[in-house]
Amino acid sequence: MRHRRLVGYGNVTLLDTNYNVKHVVCPDFNLTIPNNETHECQADLHEFYLTDRNTFLVTAYNATQTDLTAMNGTADGWVFDCLFFEIDPKTNEILFRWSALEHVAITDSHEPLGQTGNASVPYDWFHINSVTNMGDHYLVNSRHTWTIYYLNSTGSIDWRFAGDTGGDFGVLPEEGTFRWQHHPRAHSVAESIFDLSLFNNNNQALDNSSSHPTNTLVYRLPLQPGDGSAAPELLRHLTNDPPLFADSQGSYTPDLSNGNQLATFGQVPFVKEYGPDGEVRWTGCAGPDAESQIYRGFKEEWHATPSSTSPSLVVLPNGSEKTGYYGYVTWNGATDVSAWTVYVVGRWRGLRKVGEVGFRGFETSFEVPCWATSVQVGAVVDGTEVRRSGFVSV
């Protein structure tokens, strides 16, 4: 996937639980790409969502000539028309297409035009970064209009949930406004109401007036706002101490299987898991702020055994005195290894099994017999040895 001004052109690859490639979808959406660039595959990087009907949703950015005089631009300006497609991964058939330009006014954008709006740098007025399905409807997020759109099966907008005004829902609850948001997801969908979570960036480097601490929000909303429907209810408002400020990216999952919550913070490369009450249970960091980013993060139970790789074994001297050796074994991607069988070869002995070492996390260490000239290990899964490493000399 090539990244260009936060826009991507690439393919979608689906793997099985042995990390074998099952499907590669390389869509050609007939896009216009700035500077006459061409890309064989044109799926964008912002969203790939597997639906409950065995299809997937993917975003795309199409450079489109548009009148920008309403934004103090030129009549022959250029914008990114934000699209999404629903695709059958088995046949590559496009089942549905939606265009932001066909349904939303450019003047709804909060993104400054600045020096953009030309053929080389189109105006990113909408910035689609999330799309999911809700039955036969779609939930689409626009970062730059501060709005989440609920579309019917034809693509028409049933309602807007706007972060500054509430959109079709009216005034938002106290502490319930949002801006530049990411990763809205529906939960507990019932006949007339559902819960909506989102990652509220709440600030943007181009907007000096909106430098606020980033937070996460969960609302309870009526499926169809209108006279007599319940007003939006703010269920959760999760903050951080000290505060974090994420200009872009980020994700929030309020309903992990253990009852906790998970958030990632975009270009601030933190992952945080919170208890149900919002207390931080653990924090991880992917690297220095200027060098690492986490667009989205997930925590799920995953079971897999690689079919095309083998365990990696390293044998090193035991400390500076070199009085013996230790082996260190890993098998990246293998989730269900319970133990390692240790085999050694000596100068006057053939290959022998000398013991079994219980799995001790990502890297397991063990002592190598003093008479060994080479070492090999085997991964044990469900009581059966499934794969061996290569031999390593001592």
Side-chain angles (χ1 to χ4, degrees), residues 125-321:
W125 68 281
F126 190 84
H127 197 88
I128 188 172
N129 61 25
S130 172
V131 55
T132 64
N133 76 299
M134 291 176 60
D136 63 353
H137 284 57
Y138 301 95
L139 200 66
V140 177
N141 187 61
S142 166
R143 179 179 188 263
H144 291 172
T145 67
W146 304 350
T147 302
I148 299 161
Y149 302 86
Y150 185 64
L151 315 180
N152 63 31
S153 59
T154 69
S156 297
I157 298 172
D158 277 2
W159 50 251
R160 294 166 166 85
F161 185 44
D164 52 345
T165 66
D168 294 316
F169 293 85
V171 178
L172 292 177
E174 186 178 359
E175 298 183 321
T177 59
F178 56 89
R179 291 182 281 196
W180 314 108
Q181 74 286 348
H182 284 76
H183 199 227
R185 290 292 188 262
H187 311 268
S188 304
V189 179
E191 183 177 351
S192 60
I193 61 173
F194 74 105
D195 296 342
L196 177 71
S197 66
L198 60 86
F199 182 84
N200 179 23
N201 297 82
N202 206 26
N203 64 94
Q204 215 262 56
L206 296 176
D207 181 1
N208 295 328
S209 66
S210 62
S211 181
H212 301 98
T214 295
N215 56 53
T216 62
L217 303 167
V218 180
Y219 306 86
R220 179 153 293 162
L221 301 172
L223 266 175
Q224 293 299 334
D227 293 341
S229 63
E233 178 185 357
L234 184 61
L235 301 181
R236 298 186 194 179
H237 174 235
L238 191 61
T239 58
N240 296 277
D241 186 16
L244 295 173
F245 298 85
D247 291 342
S248 69
Q249 309 167 76
S251 62
Y252 172 51
T253 304
D255 54 356
L256 295 177
S257 59
N258 61 3
N260 289 349
Q261 310 169 71
L262 188 78
T264 65
F265 293 85
Q267 90 277 19
V268 182
F270 284 136
V271 180
K272 288 182 177 287
E273 183 170 344
Y274 309 83
D277 58 357
E279 180 183 357
V280 176
R281 298 292 176 86
W282 62 267
T283 299
C285 184
D289 286 1
E291 300 175 12
S292 305
Q293 300 182 31
I294 305 174
Y295 176 60
R296 283 186 192 157
F298 303 92
K299 182 182 180 183
E300 300 285 349
E301 187 172 332
W302 171 249
H303 298 278
T305 301
S307 63
S308 60
T309 65
S310 299
S312 298
L313 175 64
V314 174
V315 178
L316 298 173
N318 178 21
S320 59
E321 297 180 2

Side-chain angles (χ1 to χ4, degrees), residues 75-130:
D76 58 349
W78 286 80
V79 302
F80 274 124
D81 185 13
C82 289
L83 312 172
F84 81 81
F85 298 86
E86 184 168 2
I87 298 176
D88 183 336
K90 294 182 179 180
T91 65
N92 293 350
E93 180 185 0
I94 295 175
L95 306 175
F96 185 81
R97 170 194 175 276
W98 187 82
S99 156
L101 269 181
E102 294 172 7
H103 294 88
V104 182
I106 291 178
T107 52
D108 288 353
S109 183
H110 297 280
E111 175 75 0
L113 178 63
Q115 300 302 310
T116 71
N118 54 68
S120 296
V121 188
Y123 176 38
D124 189 10
W125 68 281
F126 190 84
H127 197 88
I128 188 172
N129 61 25
S130 172

Side-chain angles (χ1 to χ4, degrees), residues 64-79:
T64 305
Q65 195 160 23
T66 305
D67 185 350
L68 289 175
T69 54
M71 304 299 292
N72 296 320
T74 62
D76 58 349
W78 286 80
V79 302

